[in-house]
Amino acid sequence: MKDAILRANLIVFSMLVLVTVCAAAQQPAEDLSGYLPEEGEVAGWKLSEDPKNYCGDDLFLMIDGGADIYHEYGFRQVLRAEYLDVNEKSIKLEIYQMKSPASAYGIYSFKVGEGGKPLTIGHEARLQDYYLNFWKGDLLVTVIGLDSDAETVQAVVALAKAVDVRISYSGKRPDLAEALLDASLGFSDAKYVRGPLGVMGSYVFDTENFFQVREGVIGRIGKCQAFVFRYADVEKGADVFTKAVKGFEASSQFTGQSLQEGRYTMIDRDKALVTIGRTGRYIAVVIGQDRDEGASVLNRLLTKLAVLKDKLSYPFSDVFNRSRTSCIPRGNCFPRVQDITNLKKLFAVCGSS
Amino acid sequence: MNKKEPKTRLPNVRQPMSEPINRRTFIKKGTVLGASTVLGVSAVGWMQNLAFAEAKVDMAVVEGADYFKSTIRAVKMLGGMGKFVSRQSKVGLLINSPWDNPGCYVKPEITLAVVCMCLDAGAKEVGVIKHLDNSYWRRSAIYERFRDEARSVRFIGDNFREVSFPNGRSLKKAEISKGMLDCDVLINIPIAKHHDGIGFTGAVKNMMGGQSRNTHRFFHFSTGGRGYYDDVEFLSQCIADLNLLRKPDLCIMDGTEMITENGPFGPGKLVRPQKVIAGTDRVAMDVYGARLLGLKGEEILTTRKVFAYGMGEIDLSSLKIQETTI
């Protein structure tokens, strides 16, 4: 009898948990206003007016053509606030919630560019002349001063730190970035990309997305530009390689196209040698003026990728989901992904008992 | 456009400002200058003005920290605003202004200078095709002095009309702002800056500011792309086709402070050439503007496509470009 009651209770409890999990999974994005520093947290600066929230495709209302790169990485919502000092000097604070920590790291790596000063804020932070970016969990935080005066920059850093302490969860870089950005390859100015737009900022191979980029790491190795693209499986990688070669053969942007021993080479308009190789589901491209250095870099990349093979998970659907996320009023807060995971764990424990 | 406006109405931008200047004092000073010119008191200035007026200048470039002055000077080097704006005309300004990060928007000082020059030339109405709010004007330290002029500017970009493009290769019809279609004088005021999607945005791309969101979507998605820039070839062709609509009567490009990455919204690294560029050849201006960012303007897809249409010159060496510093 006791067992029956216990079992019934467990079933009811499990159903409740399941309903909560499902509801949470379908919930719109959480309220980000809790991350905004309040008056007094950064001396001399206060929130000027109600912050503006843009969700899903509404990001185009905020930044129009600049929105697509965020969507390419996987965008949920952004909260944009303005802080003013007594002289009405302005600092903009933008908190972007992306679809995953990998997305947040990706857009961070895209936006920070070269140079700047690394700071210990969030998982990674970089301060430029008048603005600062950091990422933590699934959030990218951008703080922008409208000038590079020392006082402004000091406040930019202070605001960023004040946001950082309010974010209590963490995330990690995507495994492809973790694997390639260790010291062995010597990548610099690296960006984790999730689509063609992320690549175009560094090099325009074509206007038709020959490489069908859905995930990759790009940057510099030595004096060469280096690109690694990852595909769902070996067949997909081989198919893209074949189609890209066909595309480049017909391209007027390149000359001297040649396919030898599985490597495709061509010369671009700057007389740089472009070499493309493939191993498994990875395609690597190296561009450089020095033929020997280019070959050496490509060899090292392909060797590294061959070792990785299928060790890395491929977490991303090949279909780019640009579904709209609806907004919720300020003050409401729904369970975060981490909370849902905890509920799932709880459910698993109950189920096993 | 005819030349009804006397040049003496333009401010004497060569003289340092010893007092706060508004449009009235400009006009007053300009009148005095005009009188002195007639009397031969300022013979050197007169000869310089004459030289600018007589030599056909394709593009005027003025470098300096005072963007208001630079803009007036650049237009003056082309022959003055009276050459482009006739009395009682309706002027439409297409300004790249929707952003507020440094290096991402046309400096309000440049816009204010254009508005003042248009009013001074006798324009009946000056309207903006993209909405400008007070926060835009307030970014300028000289806004208070030109508040009346700024307030006189109307928003004329809210209604759209379908327009056919029979000669367009990709674009056959588009919804265009009536304000842009109906204005007597169209002044295109872009900023030369980086753009994630097509590499560069300047005078040619800025024409998209006059189209509806429906047309915007057509540019980006009509070939089945999932992202805004999946088909850059098609997008660039649409932009080139759109430029068949009408040639701006004047282009004034902000080359003062621009982002070289993370465009069009920023923030990103800045370059500060502190230049204002004026001309009527949007292709040449884009080539020039792109060079300020360290890009090869003649290789930008939109530039190549409008050049192929014969809308302008891609080879700057064949143009007379007048450059000066103030």
Side-chain angles (χ1 to χ4, degrees):
Chain A
M1 186 64 183
K2 274 185 181 177
D3 279 356
I5 292 171
L6 187 63
R7 192 162 296 175
N9 283 341
L10 263 176
I11 289 169
V12 170
F13 180 72
S14 302
M15 286 179 72
L16 276 172
V17 169
L18 190 62
V19 167
T20 310
V21 167
C22 291
Q26 291 175 355
Q27 285 300 345
E30 69 164 310
D31 184 1
L32 300 177
S33 59
Y35 301 120
L36 295 177
E38 290 170 0
E39 191 170 349
E41 279 190 63
V42 177
W45 294 82
K46 64 177 181 181
L47 201 59
S48 73
E49 55 187 21
D50 272 350
K52 291 189 174 64
N53 183 220
Y54 301 86
C55 292
D57 283 350
D58 286 349
L59 184 62
F60 291 103
L61 300 176
M62 177 176 139
I63 53 177
D64 197 14
D68 210 52
I69 187 67
Y70 290 87
H71 284 294
E72 184 168 283
Y73 278 103
F75 170 79
R76 283 194 191 283
Q77 62 166 335
V78 61
L79 190 68
R80 191 166 204 236
E82 183 180 24
Y83 286 80
L84 295 176
D85 71 357
V86 287
N87 300 315
E88 300 257 302
K89 193 181 258 196
S90 165
I91 291 179
K92 301 276 186 340
L93 170 60
E94 296 164 356
I95 302 173
Y96 295 85
Q97 186 183 31
M98 306 300 286
K99 286 188 174 170
S100 66
S103 304
Y105 167 71
I107 189 68
Y108 166 82
S109 70
F110 181 85
K111 283 183 74 175
V112 290
E114 298 176 25
K117 182 182 173 187
L119 298 176
T120 49
I121 301 174
H123 299 320
E124 285 174 72
R126 198 165 283 266
L127 174 68
Q128 303 286 355
D129 281 356
Y130 62 97
Y131 66 96
L132 180 155
N133 284 297
F134 78 86
W135 77 280
K136 189 173 185 181
D138 58 354
L139 301 178
L140 166 77
V141 179
T142 304
V143 192
I144 310 156
L146 296 188
D147 58 58
S148 49
D149 293 350
E151 276 181 9
T152 308
V153 174
Q154 206 174 2
V156 163
V157 174
L159 275 168
K161 285 181 175 172
V163 176
D164 182 21
V165 296
R166 288 167 169 264
I167 306 170
S168 58
Y169 50 90
S170 61
K172 67 180 190 69
R173 294 196 300 192
D175 56 1
L176 184 65
E178 286 291 342
L180 294 180
L181 301 184
D182 61 12
S184 63
L185 286 170
F187 254 110
S188 61
D189 304 323
K191 294 178 171 64
Y192 173 69
V193 297
R194 291 287 301 275
L197 201 49
V199 180
M200 281 166 61
S202 297
Y203 192 86
V204 180
F205 288 99
D206 63 279
T207 55
E208 295 169 39
N209 191 14
F210 288 161
F211 285 118
Q212 299 175 43
V213 180
R214 287 292 172 258
E215 192 194 16
V217 170
I218 67 178
R220 301 195 69 83
I221 297 177
K223 291 176 183 169
C224 298
Q225 282 183 280
F227 304 76
V228 173
F229 304 127
R230 181 162 64 153
Y231 300 93
D233 49 43
V234 176
E235 289 72 28
K236 180 73 178 173
D239 182 53
V240 170
F241 184 84
T242 305
K243 286 178 179 168
V245 164
K246 275 187 186 169
F248 287 126
E249 273 172 1
S251 170
S252 60
Q253 189 181 329
F254 301 96
T255 54
Q257 289 93 333
S258 164
L259 179 62
Q260 288 182 340
E261 297 174 4
R263 292 189 183 188
Y264 190 72
T265 56
M266 56 194 183
I267 309 291
D268 72 7
R269 286 183 177 145
D270 290 330
K271 309 292 180 204
L273 180 70
V274 181
T275 311
I276 308 169
R278 183 183 73 85
T279 177
R281 58 178 177 171
Y282 301 94
I283 289 178
V285 186
V286 174
I287 303 170
Q289 298 287 348
D290 186 321
R291 183 174 287 264
D292 291 339
E293 187 188 12
S296 162
V297 170
L298 186 65
N299 285 339
R300 284 162 55 204
L301 271 177
L302 291 175
T303 304
K304 176 93 176 181
L305 293 168
V307 172
L308 292 176
K309 283 188 180 168
D310 295 328
K311 286 180 185 170
L312 308 180
S313 60
Y314 189 77
F316 305 113
S317 161
D318 206 31
V319 177
F320 183 52
N321 178 16
R322 52 169 46 255
S323 62
R324 190 183 176 88
T325 312
S326 58
C327 285
I328 54 169
R330 287 185 70 191
N332 293 333
C333 200
F334 291 94
R336 299 187 49 81
V337 173
Q338 287 82 352
D339 300 328
I340 295 167
T341 309
N342 289 337
L343 286 174
K344 283 177 180 170
K345 281 178 187 168
L346 180 64
F347 177 70
V349 170
C350 291
S352 63
S353 64
Chain B
M1 292 298 152
N2 57 27
K3 297 182 181 179
K4 289 179 182 174
E5 199 59 24
K7 285 181 185 144
T8 52
R9 292 178 69 87
L10 293 170
N12 178 11
V13 295
R14 294 176 60 80
Q15 292 183 352
M17 287 192 288
S18 55
E19 58 183 279
I21 288 183
N22 58 28
R23 190 167 142 252
R24 281 184 183 168
T25 56
F26 270 155
I27 294 168
K28 194 175 161 187
K29 285 188 174 186
T31 307
V32 172
L33 172 67
S36 64
T37 301
V38 171
L39 294 170
V41 176
S42 179
V44 175
W46 180 80
M47 286 171 72
Q48 283 178 335
N49 284 343
L50 187 67
F52 281 135
E54 286 189 347
K56 181 184 171 295
V57 176
D58 295 307
M59 195 190 301
V61 182
V62 181
E63 184 178 345
D66 187 329
Y67 308 143
F68 186 94
K69 280 185 181 179
S70 295
T71 308
I72 289 171
R73 179 65 177 273
V75 174
K76 195 173 183 179
M77 286 160 67
L78 294 178
M81 191 59 90
K83 183 177 170 183
F84 306 100
V85 175
S86 57
R87 284 189 176 279
Q88 296 302 305
S89 57
K90 287 196 289 185
V91 180
L93 307 181
L94 185 57
I95 309 160
N96 192 332
S97 61
W99 331 98
D100 58 5
N101 284 329
C104 297
Y105 59 89
V106 172
K107 291 278 186 301
E109 291 85 353
I110 294 173
T111 305
L112 281 170
V114 175
V115 170
C116 288
M117 282 190 284
C118 290
L119 294 173
D120 209 23
K124 182 172 74 178
E125 176 185 303
V126 180
V128 288
I129 293 153
K130 295 285 275 187
H131 182 69
L132 289 183
D133 60 21
N134 275 342
S135 69
Y136 174 74
W137 296 118
R138 281 202 300 266
R139 286 174 225 157
S140 167
I142 63 170
Y143 164 61
E144 289 299 324
R145 295 208 294 272
F146 295 97
R147 193 196 309 231
D148 291 343
E149 285 83 355
R151 282 182 177 170
S152 74
V153 175
R154 287 200 317 123
F155 174 52
I156 57 171
D158 49 352
N159 292 310
F160 296 91
R161 195 160 68 217
E162 191 171 288
V163 177
S164 295
F165 289 78
N167 298 321
R169 289 180 190 160
S170 297
L171 187 67
K172 294 300 177 188
K173 60 181 182 180
E175 293 171 352
I176 305 295
S177 152
K178 285 183 183 175
M180 186 154 144
L181 295 170
D182 296 340
C183 62
D184 302 316
V185 180
L186 176 63
I187 302 181
N188 185 4
I189 311 179
I191 176 172
K193 64 176 173 178
H194 175 261
H195 192 289
D196 282 337
I198 59 170
F200 170 79
T201 173
V204 169
K205 169 85 168 58
N206 198 42
M207 290 292 279
M208 285 178 73
Q211 69 190 29
S212 72
R213 289 197 72 79
N214 280 340
T215 300
H216 214 64
R217 275 191 285 275
F218 175 82
F219 277 34
H220 287 283
F221 297 115
S222 56
T223 57
R226 288 174 302 200
Y228 248 47
Y229 302 99
D230 274 7
D231 194 342
V232 174
E233 183 77 30
F234 180 82
L235 170 64
S236 300
Q237 188 59 55
C238 284
I239 293 170
D241 293 347
L242 177 68
N243 275 265
L244 294 166
L245 178 72
R246 70 180 284 184
K247 182 183 180 187
D249 299 279
L250 175 63
C251 298
I252 297 171
M253 179 179 276
D254 184 341
T256 60
E257 176 187 67
M258 309 93 85
I259 47 167
T260 61
E261 61 183 11
N262 296 332
F265 178 67
K269 289 191 188 68
L270 297 168
V271 288
R272 294 188 176 92
Q274 297 206 310
K275 290 182 176 180
V276 175
I277 305 114
T280 55
D281 184 336
R282 59 202 132 159
V283 183
M285 289 182 71
D286 273 5
V287 173
Y288 190 96
R291 287 184 185 176
L292 295 178
L293 303 182
L295 302 170
K296 292 176 182 168
E298 53 277 15
E299 288 187 6
I300 290 164
L301 196 52
T302 47
T303 311
R304 293 212 309 270
K305 286 183 181 295
V306 287
F307 174 67
Y309 271 144
M311 290 182 195
E313 184 52 67
I314 210 163
D315 176 14
L316 297 187
S317 66
S318 66
L319 298 175
K320 181 165 179 53
I321 301 174
Q322 187 108 41
E323 301 193 58
T324 190
T325 303
I326 60 172

